[in-house]
Amino acid sequence: MVEGKARYRRVLLKLSGEAFGGDGHSGIDWSVLAGVARQIKMVLEMKVDVGIVVGGGNIFRGAEAAEEGMDRATGDYAGMVATLINALALQDVLERAGVVVRTQSAINIQQVAEPYIRRRAIRHLEKGRAVIFACGTGNPYMSTDTAAALRAVEIGAEVLLMAKNAVDGIYSDDPRKNKGAEKYSKLTHSEALSKRLGVMDTTAVSLCLENKLPIIVFSLQTPEAIVKVVMGEHNGTIVTSE
Ligand code: UDP
């Protein structure tokens, strides 16, 4: 158990498809997910409200399907449905860990998940339930990073926590390709935008800039990474308005 106090009262955690895939990069790595669920439980026990936006890249990406000739919008809808699969896996693992959780979907699929209703999501959070937001923004040509920024602003989260698997922060270049790439410990939203740093898309960063929402990019590989970042401890990159 990690001792200490939480720095935030409400956070939005973005778990990319890559995080679900673990080292296998595709499908679902159940042991990674169990670790994530255990940490979310600890964060909730610290009386922090937790909203979670899930990605889908471990299953389907619209842009990649479009490169193979698929209609882009149809591919994007398939990508959004893929995020629902991750959401259900996470919902199940959280429940097995003893967490009360609700999944809300931006695309209507009411036999499986609640529809996204902002005020209802906030009510769940106030009751100490984790809320998983599935199906991104519900619109094609968008990303789940943008959905994460949007939901964070909508629910009044104090910070957007971007959990990564392959990288541990924002670098000047792709550290997997360029060994000389430098990691930033701090950046402004404008710097992240002007340098086009590629860790989040520009729509997502713009939304955070306009709403002065801090972003922390950190690695899930650090033990208890989610709990630590909620306590203000991380080795990643923080993006703020000044
Ligand atoms: N997507 C979309 N609109 C959204 C969110 C997601 O069309 O608001 C689609 C898009 O095709 C994307 C896929 O869903 O490629 C999976 O999401 P994303 O690539 O953002 O997941 P991640 O990179 O986090 O795994």
Side-chain angles (χ1 to χ4, degrees), residues 110-160:
Q110 57 266 40
Q111 282 84 353
V112 180
E114 290 181 8
Y116 173 63
I117 299 172
R118 175 177 163 267
R119 292 171 65 98
R120 195 158 167 188
I122 290 172
R123 190 78 191 109
H124 289 318
L125 293 170
E126 286 169 351
K127 287 187 172 170
R129 298 170 182 156
V131 181
I132 304 173
F133 299 107
C135 293
T137 62
N139 302 295
Y141 303 100
M142 300 261 145
S143 70
T144 52
D145 285 355
T146 299
L150 179 64
R151 296 293 182 246
V153 174
E154 285 188 272
I155 64 169
E158 291 152 288
V159 66
L160 171 51

Side-chain angles (χ1 to χ4, degrees), residues 37 41 44-45 92-101:
K41 185 177 188 206
L44 288 165
E45 284 167 357
D92 192 79
V93 172
L94 280 167
E95 278 180 347
R96 278 189 268 154
V99 172
V100 183
V101 51

Side-chain angles (χ1 to χ4, degrees), residues 41-69:
K41 185 177 188 206
M42 286 162 80
V43 172
L44 288 165
E45 284 167 357
M46 290 158 80
K47 302 277 175 243
V48 177
D49 298 343
V50 186
I52 306 145
V53 166
V54 292
N58 55 322
I59 300 170
F60 202 94
R61 277 187 212 279
E64 283 171 10
E67 276 171 27
E68 300 295 326

Side-chain angles (χ1 to χ4, degrees), residues 9-199:
R9 279 173 298 108
R10 182 168 291 170
V11 300
L12 191 295
L13 175 67
K14 163 72 202 294
L15 293 172
S16 62
E18 177 211 36
F20 281 86
D23 292 336
H25 301 299
S26 69
I28 288 171
D29 185 325
W30 294 99
S31 63
V32 170
L33 221 51
V36 166
R38 193 176 44 76
Q39 292 185 63
I40 291 172
K41 185 177 188 206
M42 286 162 80
V43 172
L44 288 165
E45 284 167 357
M46 290 158 80
K47 302 277 175 243
V48 177
D49 298 343
V50 186
I52 306 145
V53 166
V54 292
N58 55 322
I59 300 170
F60 202 94
R61 277 187 212 279
E64 283 171 10
E67 276 171 27
E68 300 295 326
M70 188 174 188
D71 171 69
R72 173 64 194 262
T74 310
D76 279 340
Y77 280 110
M80 285 185 266
V81 172
T83 72
L84 187 68
I85 294 172
N86 285 334
L88 294 179
L90 180 63
Q91 173 186 269
D92 192 79
V93 172
L94 280 167
E95 278 180 347
R96 278 189 268 154
V99 172
V100 183
V101 51
R102 297 289 184 271
T103 299
Q104 293 201 342
S105 170
I107 291 177
N108 280 345
I109 181 155
Q110 57 266 40
Q111 282 84 353
V112 180
E114 290 181 8
Y116 173 63
I117 299 172
R118 175 177 163 267
R119 292 171 65 98
R120 195 158 167 188
I122 290 172
R123 190 78 191 109
H124 289 318
L125 293 170
E126 286 169 351
K127 287 187 172 170
R129 298 170 182 156
V131 181
I132 304 173
F133 299 107
C135 293
T137 62
N139 302 295
Y141 303 100
M142 300 261 145
S143 70
T144 52
D145 285 355
T146 299
L150 179 64
R151 296 293 182 246
V153 174
E154 285 188 272
I155 64 169
E158 291 152 288
V159 66
L160 171 51
L161 304 175
M162 302 283 298
K164 298 276 166 186
N165 208 8
V167 288
D168 61 354
I170 304 180
Y171 283 78
S172 55
D173 196 4
D174 187 341
R176 289 166 292 184
K177 292 182 190 146
N178 176 1
K179 290 270 172 275
E182 256 180 75
K183 185 164 106 182
Y184 300 103
S185 59
K186 208 171 182 307
L187 277 173
T188 64
H189 294 113
S190 321
E191 283 169 337
L193 278 176
S194 63
K195 292 184 203 276
R196 289 198 155 261
L197 290 170
V199 74

